[in-house]
């Protein structure tokens, strides 16, 4: 298992040697390596069992440093960066040659983000290279929101996890780019589209894709537990599965079901708060996945605020 701790100098030493380290961010934990070192980047794909056509996000600590590895930041995206960084926003920007092609899967744009977590920002500040970091989970599985989640699945493959507690936002970053001067959202995430639109006007949401996705976060089946995950009206699903005699667990927004044992149901937010629901989502899905049941029954949340991004993850979890 990996060593877990808060020593950023130790994390720095591993990263400088080309090793990978689990790092906390406000969205989810990342599996980080030196973004400018192709060997370290290649390890990320191996450890995650991630196809090389799925490019990585680069993390750094300031807009000045972003400019070290992108050609330019289009005006509208710069406004977004200035407003929402550090935070759950990733921008797709034209890369300079020093960014290895492996990071971008050969594409001209690189995904860049300044995360909002004090430990990781301190770490990024003292490193003289940016960090490539996908979510620290095996490809296709639920993203980690605690150091222990990273350790459970990747602990035997990496030396160190920087422990920054539970992720405050709990959903991956919102991925944004620009096409023909129009702002495009490629992945719904921890930054609400409404907040983006309040700054740059109407945006185009393009989060569904064909078999050749621009961003594999757009792949239909992703963020998925190992158990079948079924979405619908919980009252009727519960009756249906009770009649079928199939053991199930329930993931609900706020409702508690009297006919289901307490140990087999999880509420995302008893007070019906969508931000709290986002924060709890992935840890709840993991907990349900380890229960002694055959299926997980769930429901969609209101399509507003972070509810949109939560529903995106729930729908992808439900595709087999
Ligand atoms: O919140 C987050 O974004 C977290 C934390 C660790 O920063 N990271 C994360 O990374 O979710 P990952 O690798 O699990 O998802 C990144 C998504 C992928 O779907 C990838 O395809 C897309 O970003 N992406 C990365 N680079 C891209 C590029 N150059 N062009 C298009 N899509 C890109
Ligand atoms: Mg991921």
């Amino acid at each position: 298992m990996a060593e877990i701790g808060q020593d950023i100098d130790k994390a720095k030493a591993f990263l400088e040697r080309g090793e990978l380290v689990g790092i906390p961010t406000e969205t989810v934990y990342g599996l980080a390596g030196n973004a400018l070192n192709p060997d370290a980047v290649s390890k990320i794909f191996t450890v995650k069992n991630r196809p090389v056509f799925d490019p990585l996000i680069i993390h750094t600590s300031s807009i000045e440093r972003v400019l070290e590895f992108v050609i330019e930041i289009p005006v509208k995206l710069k406004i977004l960066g200035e407003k929402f960084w550090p935070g759950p926003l990733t921008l797709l920007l034209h890369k300079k040659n020093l960014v290895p092609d492996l990071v971008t899967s050969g594409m001209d744009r690189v995904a860049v983000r300044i995360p909002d977590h004090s430990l990781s920002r301190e770490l990024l500040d003292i490193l003289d290279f940016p960090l490539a970091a996908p979510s620290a989970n095996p490809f296709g599985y639920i993203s980690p929101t605690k150091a222990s989640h990273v350790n459970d699945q990747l602990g035997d493959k990496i030396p160190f996890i920087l422990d920054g507690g539970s992720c405050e936002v709990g959903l991956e970053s919102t991925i944004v780019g620009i096409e023909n001067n129009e702002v495009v959202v490629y992945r719904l995430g921890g930054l609400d589209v409404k907040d983006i639109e309040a700054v740059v006007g109407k945006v185009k949401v393009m989060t569904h894709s064909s078999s050749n996705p621009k961003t594999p976060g757009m792949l239909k089946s992703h963020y998925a537990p190992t158990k079948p995950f079924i979405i619908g009206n919980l009252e009727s699903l519960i009756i249906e599965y009770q009649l079928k005699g199939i053991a199930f667990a329930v993931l609900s927004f706020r409702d508690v079901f009297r006919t289901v044992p307490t140990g087999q149901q999880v509420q995302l937010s008893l007070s019906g708060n969508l931000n709290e629901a986002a924060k709890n989502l992935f840890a709840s899905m993991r907990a349900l996945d380890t229960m002694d049941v055959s299926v997980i029954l769930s429901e969609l949340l209101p399509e507003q605020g972070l509810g949109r991004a939560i529903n995106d993850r729930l729908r992808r979890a439900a595709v087999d």
Side-chain angles (χ1 to χ4, degrees):
M1 286 289 118
E3 184 183 344
I4 300 184
Q6 298 192 316
D7 185 347
I8 57 170
D9 293 315
K10 191 169 248 176
K12 175 174 185 266
F14 281 121
L15 291 162
E16 284 174 341
R17 264 182 261 147
E19 306 271 359
L20 307 186
V21 169
I23 60 162
T25 82
E26 80 284 27
T27 60
V28 300
Y29 273 74
L31 174 66
N34 178 350
L36 306 182
N37 173 348
D39 290 335
V41 175
S42 157
K43 264 188 212 165
I44 294 177
F45 286 94
T46 310
V47 165
K48 252 190 89 98
N49 197 15
R50 178 175 177 119
V52 288
F53 64 76
D54 190 359
L56 306 176
I57 298 176
I58 283 192
H59 299 69
T60 190
S61 55
S62 68
I63 295 201
E64 293 68 49
R65 292 188 80 179
V66 170
L67 288 164
E68 290 169 17
F69 44 85
V70 307
I71 293 171
E72 57 162 359
I73 309 183
V75 177
K76 284 185 185 168
L77 299 188
K78 184 141 188 263
I79 294 171
L80 291 176
E82 281 167 351
K83 172 90 183 164
F84 297 114
W85 277 340
L89 168 74
T90 292
L91 295 180
L92 292 184
L93 302 168
H94 279 270
K95 78 177 192 77
K96 286 185 180 162
N97 282 338
L98 93 158
V99 177
D101 286 333
L102 191 54
V103 169
T104 61
S105 304
M107 290 188 271
D108 339 319
R109 289 192 297 181
V110 61
V112 185
R113 163 168 130 76
I114 303 177
D116 186 14
H117 190 290
S118 53
L119 264 189
S120 288
R121 287 194 73 206
E122 272 175 56
L123 173 64
L124 288 163
D125 264 336
I126 58 169
L127 289 171
D128 53 17
F129 48 81
L131 293 176
S135 52
N137 50 283
F139 183 69
Y141 194 66
I142 306 161
S143 297
T145 52
K146 292 177 188 191
S148 62
H149 295 162
V150 183
N151 205 24
D152 287 346
Q153 290 186 303
L154 304 179
D156 54 345
K157 301 193 177 86
I158 57 175
F160 189 64
I161 302 166
L162 196 57
D163 188 353
S166 289
C167 301
E168 275 306 313
V169 175
L171 290 175
E172 299 84 351
S173 58
T174 303
I175 302 183
V176 177
I178 198 158
E179 293 182 26
N180 305 319
N181 205 33
E182 186 180 22
V183 175
V184 181
V185 170
Y186 299 97
R187 178 176 72 180
L188 297 171
L191 177 62
D192 187 351
V193 172
K194 284 272 176 325
D195 294 337
I196 296 176
E197 290 185 325
V199 179
V200 292
K202 198 88 190 125
V203 304
K204 186 167 164 187
V205 179
M206 237 169 60
T207 57
H208 286 282
S209 68
S210 60
S211 54
N212 183 18
K214 271 211 183 89
T215 81
M218 297 162 89
L219 285 173
K220 276 196 94 182
S221 172
H222 214 75
Y223 314 104
T226 51
K227 300 212 166 102
F229 191 86
I230 294 160
I231 295 174
N233 176 289
L234 278 174
E235 304 243 351
S236 22
L237 281 175
I238 288 168
I239 294 169
E240 180 187 334
Y241 279 81
Q242 280 170 338
L243 287 173
K244 283 184 183 161
I246 296 176
F248 62 86
V250 170
L251 178 65
S252 76
F253 178 29
R254 57 186 305 176
D255 294 335
V256 179
F257 294 90
R258 278 184 300 110
T259 55
V260 179
T262 32
Q264 276 160 235
Q265 56 179 313
V266 178
Q267 285 71 35
L268 290 173
S269 168
L270 286 169
S271 64
N273 178 312
L274 289 164
N275 294 347
E276 184 184 27
K279 183 173 179 188
N280 290 332
L281 179 69
F282 289 144
S284 304
M285 282 168 72
R286 278 174 186 260
L288 291 158
D289 209 19
T290 59
M291 286 176 190
D292 190 18
V293 296
S294 308
V295 302
I296 302 166
L297 308 180
S298 184
E299 64 182 348
L300 293 176
L301 277 57
E303 279 279 335
Q304 65 200 43
L306 290 192
R308 267 182 95 177
I310 294 172
N311 287 345
D312 171 89
R313 303 302 188 270
L314 292 171
R315 290 194 186 98
R316 288 179 213 268
V319 174
D320 41 39

